[in-house]
Amino acid sequence: MQRIRSRKRMLLLFVGTHRILWSATGLIPFIFPKEWWVSVYIAVYTVAFISNTIGGMIWTSLIGDIVPAKVRGRYFGIRNTILNALGSVCLFAGGIVLDRYPGEMGFLILFIPVWICAIANTVIYFFYPDVPFERSTEKVFWRMFIKPFQDRSFLKATLFLAVWLLIQTLIVPLYSYVMLDLLNINYQTVSLITVVQTLVMMVGFYVWGNLNARFSNKTLLFWTLPVIALSCLSWGLMSFMPVLIALFLSHIFLGIGVGGFNQLAFNFTIGDTPKSERPMFVAVYSALTGVTSFLGPLMGGWLYEKMETWSDALAWVSAYGFQVGVGVVMLILTFTLGRRVLLK
């Protein structure tokens, strides 16, 4: 980004590559023999999201310059509310389609609008302004690279959030797996639960965005953490309450917490960092939290595989016990280390 002349052109290149390849995964069953499906999917998906990561870095820098700092919190609150409103409708519709047309036909029906929207979304970026880029005061890469590590406040917050995401992603990305495979809940019900989560997230975006006009990013980030912990702890309610009530409560807390966390973490990287050095600060944050967010689901999946070999008497551990344990660890981490790092 220090070398390119136009952030907009690079954004179009990498975002376009991501959208094309991501939507192209829907063609894999119709082009390749079945024994190749998983390998080709992993390869295409990996290249797509490498492009998306690069495009996301450029977009974060560009949108941070486009949106004035005074209205940034509220702007992203409204933006994310609209985005998730549309997403919730699509999720619910997708669940109905997959229940009614299981297998290849259902996914083909879903991928047709995906292909249309992928093209339309890429075209929209042509209308972005190509605002001037304030370059780093450092000309040598390694000096530019170490600047985020010299900012103790930023580094401590980033390392804490990276550890938090490692623990959070042990279970949260696997919610759907537990509901579909272990609790045997159908696609439509899971979609409905996810829609409720998204609707709550939409309200949360607006509320967190307005609060962001009065309180700092790090303070609000702190208060999202116990809400996410409550999402994990809520799974324990199914030990004495109807399963669906526990799941709806869990996803309501998840919508409030994760929606605020993602929005405020984004505002933290573009609002609490020096403008000229922002791309490298965002890069360091994304790299550290990205590694832990990658490792978390792998570790969580491995643990669930181990739990499958346990006796039926311990089935409650994989159904809700593991989630409750993770939630307890989250609460302890929040009010010990998190309080010192984010509230000072």
Side-chain angles (χ1 to χ4, degrees):
M1 288 183 60
Q2 301 299 323
R3 298 174 184 276
I4 60 177
R5 293 186 176 182
S6 170
R7 285 181 291 177
K8 179 179 175 180
R9 290 178 186 173
M10 290 297 103
L11 179 68
L12 284 167
L13 172 63
F14 288 106
V15 166
T17 301
H18 166 254
R19 303 298 191 264
I20 292 169
L21 291 179
W22 190 14
S23 56
T25 58
L27 297 173
I28 291 173
F30 305 98
I31 297 176
F32 298 95
K34 190 170 184 177
E35 61 270 19
W36 291 13
W37 287 0
V38 174
S39 299
V40 174
Y41 181 86
I42 291 173
V44 173
Y45 198 84
T46 299
V47 175
F49 275 86
I50 288 173
S51 299
N52 188 53
T53 300
I54 298 171
M57 289 289 302
I58 299 171
W59 182 84
T60 299
S61 171
L62 189 58
I63 202 70
D65 290 343
I66 293 173
V67 181
K70 290 183 179 179
V71 299
R72 194 173 286 149
R74 185 168 295 176
Y75 166 81
F76 283 108
I78 295 172
R79 176 187 181 275
N80 291 334
T81 300
I82 296 171
L83 180 67
N84 282 273
L86 295 172
S88 64
V89 173
C90 293
L91 277 171
F92 186 63
I96 294 174
V97 170
L98 290 178
D99 275 338
R100 188 166 297 179
Y101 301 99
E104 292 182 8
M105 179 56 68
F107 282 101
L108 178 60
I109 293 171
L110 292 183
F111 266 100
I112 290 172
V114 166
W115 294 324
I116 295 170
C117 290
I119 295 170
N121 182 239
T122 305
V123 171
I124 287 295
Y125 285 103
F126 280 96
F127 296 93
Y128 268 44
D130 197 3
V131 296
F133 176 48
E134 185 175 334
R135 302 183 188 279
S136 172
T137 55
E138 301 291 347
K139 303 300 181 183
V140 181
F141 173 79
W142 71 267
R143 289 179 181 170
M144 195 187 309
F145 176 72
I146 64 172
K147 279 208 167 185
F149 296 96
Q150 294 173 333
D151 188 324
R152 292 183 61 82
S153 176
F154 169 81
L155 185 60
K156 286 193 295 185
T158 298
L159 289 174
F160 170 77
L161 294 175
V163 173
W164 172 269
L165 286 169
L166 175 66
I167 297 171
Q168 176 185 309
T169 54
L170 285 173
I171 179 59
V172 171
L174 300 170
Y175 274 9
S176 294
Y177 159 74
V178 176
M179 289 189 290
L180 290 168
D181 286 34
L182 301 184
L183 300 178
N184 297 315
I185 298 173
N186 61 41
Y187 277 118
Q188 191 167 340
T189 303
V190 172
S191 295
L192 180 60
I193 292 171
T194 309
V195 167
V196 170
Q197 173 193 325
T198 307
L199 291 173
V200 173
M201 190 182 296
M202 287 161 46
V203 177
F205 281 140
Y206 186 76
V207 173
W208 289 115
N210 284 332
L211 288 173
N212 205 190
R214 298 172 54 194
F215 302 99
S216 71
N217 293 316
K218 290 202 291 186
T219 297
L220 292 177
L221 256 177
F222 171 81
W223 288 110
T224 66
L225 305 184
V227 181
I228 298 172
L230 284 175
S231 171
C232 295
L233 291 170
S234 297
W235 285 73
L237 296 174
M238 67 177 63
S239 62
F240 59 89
M241 292 176 63
V243 170
L244 287 181
I245 292 178
L247 292 177
F248 273 109
L249 282 174
S250 173
H251 283 76
I252 287 170
F253 285 127
L254 186 66
I256 297 170
V258 170
F261 181 93
N262 292 340
Q263 180 167 308
L264 291 161
F266 178 81
N267 289 348
F268 165 67
T269 58
I270 65 174
D272 293 11
T273 54
K275 184 177 179 181
S276 62
E277 309 301 329
R278 185 181 295 155
M280 189 57 74
F281 275 76
V282 175
V284 169
Y285 175 87
S286 300
L288 292 174
T289 57
V291 168
T292 55
S293 297
F294 172 76
L295 293 176
L298 291 180
M299 294 167 61
W302 178 81
L303 288 170
Y304 269 110
E305 282 189 349
K306 294 297 181 183
M307 291 180 215
E308 288 179 0
T309 63
W310 294 358
S311 65
D312 292 341
L314 294 174
W316 64 273
V317 177
S318 58
Y320 61 84
F322 181 47
Q323 294 88 314
V324 172
V326 170
V328 170
V329 173
M330 284 178 165
L331 277 182
I332 295 172
L333 186 64
T334 297
F335 291 105
T336 53
L337 187 59
R339 188 172 183 176
R340 292 203 302 268
V341 170
L342 296 178
L343 293 185
K344 284 188 178 181

